[in-house]
Structures are given as C-alpha cells and as structure tokens.
Amino acid sequence: MLLSITQCFEGMKAYKDKNGKIRLFRPEMNMARFNNSADRIALPQFDGNELLKLIKNYVKTESRWIPSERGYSLYLRPTMIGTQEYLGVNPSNRALLFVIASPVGPYYKTGFKAVSLYATTEYVRAWPNGTGANKVGGNYAIGIKPQLMATKQGYQQNLWLFGEDHQLTEVGTMNCFVLWKDDKGELELVTPPLDGSILPGVTRDSILGLAREWGKFKVSEKSVSMPQIKEAVKQGRMLEMFGAGTACIVSPIKKIGYLNENIGALLQSSSTLPPRLPKPAILYMQDLDIPLDPNDPNAQAGPWAKKFNDTIMDIQYGDLPHDWSVLVD
Ligand SMILES: *Cc1c(COP(=O)(O)O)cnc(C)c1O
C-alpha cells in the first residue's frame, strides 16, 4: 500500500488548430510552477525543458485523442507523488512523476453560463506565505467541503475570502477578477496580488498581459474586500466579476451570497452558536447581484469577460498569432 503524504500537480491543455497542428499554451509556466510546488513539499526538482519535450512527444504520439473542434482539447495533468515506503514525515526518498491525459469538451457547450458564488466565511483556503501559491494536494482536499456547502445552499461555487475584512482571494479553484469604477470613477481591473496565498495562474497572467496591452483600463494587483464589493454594487460602480483558469478560461459571476448587513446584531442575539465551531454562516446570507452585460438582460457574460475569453481562445487555437501559443512539431 502506498501512503503518500506528498503530492503536487499541474493542469494544462493540448489544442489542435485548424490545420491539425498541435499547440500548447505557455507550457513553460506550468513547468516552472510544477517545480515550485515540488520544492515546497521537498520532492525533487526536474529539468522543465526535458519534461516539456516528453509531453510534446506524448501528445504527438497520442494525437488521435486530441479533439479538433474549437473548445475541445486534451487536458494534461502532470503529477508528482512521494513513493516512500515508511511512515515517517520526512522528505520522500523516492518520487513518481507521471502525466494523466483526457480529452475534454468545451466548458460552455451552449455559450457562457454565469455562476453564483457562496462567499465562504467559515474556512480559509490559504494565507500569506502559506501554500496557496502551490498546486499541492492538501490545498484541494480542504476545498471540497466548502464547495459542498456552497452547492447544498444552491450556489455553484465558493468564493474564498481572507482576513477580518474579508478580502477576495479565489473563486473555487480559479483566480478572481473585478472590473469596476474605482472610488474616483476610473475604470479599473483588479485581481488579488501574488502574496503567497494566490495561485499564480497562467490564465491570470495572460488576462493581466492582455489588459495592459489594450490599455483600456487601469490594471491593479491589489486586495479587494467584500465590503468594497458591496459598496461598489450599491453605488452602481461594479461592471463585471469573473473567475479565470485553464479549465474554462473565464467564468462570469452573476451573484454572491454573503453575510447579511445586520450580521453583528444577529450574532449577538443568538445564544445557540457554539463558540469555537465554524458558525453556520448560511443563516445570515444575503445575495448580491453582480452585473453581466448592461446592454443585454439575457447575457451570461459581461463584454470584457467575453473579450478576454475569446482572445485567449483565439491564441490557444492558433487563430490569433501570438508567441504564447507553442506549436508541437
Ligand atoms: C490551477 C489554479 C488556478 C488557475 O491557474 P491556471 O494556470 O490559469 O489554470 C487558479 N487558482 C487555483 C487555486 C488553481 O489551483
């Protein structure tokens, strides 16, 4: 029996373009991140270029498994686990690095579908200088229960918060973006900074890169709190919110369930809450509507979320020439 306490992984995709050529998207970022994750749990380092060569050979060999329609791809899950056969909590004396692959369909078969989020106040995912920046197994194991709590209450995903002021950190297993008018009325795209609690997403970096290139709004990597989000919605300054990651590229957000304004009074009047257990926050939830497209009441994505999504997809499928797309030949 293998009792591996050390495990880390990556998530990337191989795409087929119109000419049947195989493409990867910024794969060197996945290799670097994979090594960082392995280092954090004292698994060995590897040569990222060599692993990338193996992955390229693999996707060429198995190319018939890469669907060719736009939106489809071969999902790749490089994984490393410690395979020591003793029980101590020590650096593993052996490790196994392997890649699992599976054809995947488009995330949105019938166009976007905006999601509702449950803002989790009972648990935190990560903290500054913790392991939130690494794709290590433990980070994901602890997210399953909050995800179940969210779906049980009728929300699709959970929104991770951190700190007394409830700063937004991630949307489930995606990075988080806010497009609003700041308090001076200036258009601003905000995503939380890479302080060690945030996963440095390839999609996140690509969105920031495109936004800076387009120059249509101020781009900020800074923390933003739920009270600020609430205020912006109330004042009509909120334009769009979305999650971002390899699986879906962007995931538009339409609603956030968050603590009621009167939470303080409610908590004080309740004598039934166990003092040391996570409080059943759902008792005090209130939904906050996040705008999608002001010009189309039926839209499932805001115009900028859609533009980021479409541009990145164009690059991934080689329809828009860009050095982020790496041809496998
Ligand atoms: C993988 C992951 C992301 C997204 O990273 P991409 O490289 O864009 O796929 C964001 N947040 C978490 C917690 C993740 O695990």
Side-chain angles (χ1 to χ4, degrees):
M1 193 182 79
L2 187 65
L3 208 164
S4 182
I5 57 166
T6 46
Q7 81 114 311
C8 60
F9 61 94
E10 266 306 316
M12 53 200 287
K13 285 174 169 178
Y15 310 86
K16 238 179 217 171
D17 69 19
K18 302 201 277 289
N19 306 315
K21 290 257 186 331
I22 304 168
R23 291 169 178 273
L24 299 170
F25 184 70
R26 310 186 74 185
E28 68 293 340
M29 289 190 77
N30 297 96
M31 297 301 108
R33 192 170 66 188
F34 197 15
N35 256 327
N36 284 338
S37 298
D39 175 63
R40 183 64 185 79
I41 52 177
L43 287 177
Q45 296 288 283
F46 58 89
D47 183 329
N49 289 327
E50 291 302 315
L51 179 58
L52 191 51
K53 274 190 218 163
L54 292 172
I55 289 176
K56 286 178 175 174
N57 276 331
Y58 173 76
V59 295
K60 269 196 290 191
T61 309
E62 302 292 348
S63 101
R64 70 190 193 288
W65 291 102
I66 312 176
S68 34
E69 298 92 307
R70 189 178 157 105
Y72 290 74
S73 58
L74 186 70
Y75 183 76
L76 299 164
R77 168 64 65 85
T79 307
M80 201 188 320
I81 58 173
T83 52
Q84 65 175 20
E85 282 169 353
Y86 53 85
L87 290 170
V89 181
N90 298 312
S92 186
N93 60 359
R94 288 196 316 198
L96 182 67
L97 193 167
F98 54 95
V99 179
I100 302 170
S102 171
V104 288
Y107 209 80
Y108 307 106
K109 281 198 186 64
T110 52
F112 287 103
K113 194 95 190 70
V115 295
S116 58
L117 305 180
Y118 173 99
T120 299
T121 51
E122 299 92 336
Y123 303 101
V124 291
R125 187 191 91 91
W127 41 89
N129 303 321
T131 57
N134 304 114
K135 278 193 185 289
V136 295
N139 288 352
Y140 301 88
I142 59 161
I144 296 170
K145 187 175 166 185
Q147 169 63 36
L148 286 175
M149 289 164 74
T151 42
K152 206 166 144 198
Q153 305 303 335
Y155 299 89
Q156 279 141 323
Q157 305 237 342
N158 80 306
L159 173 64
W160 290 108
L161 307 175
F162 179 75
E164 297 282 296
D165 58 345
H166 290 163
Q167 298 153 35
L168 283 70
T169 60
E170 306 231 16
V171 180
T173 58
M174 290 180 286
N175 292 121
C176 183
F177 282 85
V178 177
L179 182 69
W180 65 6
K181 287 194 180 124
D182 68 9
D183 39 22
K184 293 182 204 75
E186 199 180 340
L187 208 54
E188 183 184 35
L189 180 72
V190 188
T191 195
L194 301 180
D195 63 359
S197 70
I198 303 294
L199 199 290
V202 177
T203 318
R204 174 187 181 279
D205 190 77
S206 305
I207 289 172
L208 289 173
L210 289 173
R212 288 183 175 125
E213 187 187 309
W214 294 343
K216 296 290 189 202
F217 28 74
K218 191 164 77 177
V219 179
S220 303
E221 293 176 69
K222 66 176 192 192
S223 62
V224 44
S225 69
M226 275 311 294
Q228 289 176 310
I229 296 286
K230 253 173 112 160
E231 179 93 340
V233 170
K234 206 186 290 176
Q235 297 178 348
R237 291 188 284 109
M238 180 60 73
L239 279 92
E240 300 181 28
M241 288 183 67
F242 51 92
T246 296
C248 60
I249 311 182
V250 308
S251 178
I253 297 163
K254 64 178 176 192
K255 191 166 79 175
I256 302 175
Y258 180 58
L259 298 178
N260 193 295
E261 307 256 344
N262 303 316
I263 177 77
L266 283 166
L267 283 175
Q268 268 168 18
S269 67
S270 165
S271 54
T272 55
L273 291 175
R276 301 189 68 101
L277 290 176
K279 296 174 183 66
I282 187 66
L283 295 175
Y284 315 108
M285 294 305 250
Q286 175 179 293
D287 281 342
L288 199 60
D289 286 318
I290 306 300
L292 289 161
D293 188 340
N295 299 317
D296 178 0
N298 299 318
Q300 287 292 310
W304 286 103
K306 188 170 180 328
K307 190 169 160 73
F308 282 120
N309 184 82
D310 294 351
T311 307
I312 289 175
M313 199 181 255
D314 284 346
I315 296 171
Q316 287 170 339
Y317 287 87
D319 293 329
L320 181 65
H322 199 294
D323 55 13
W324 286 344
S325 182
V326 175
L327 259 180
V328 179
D329 44 23

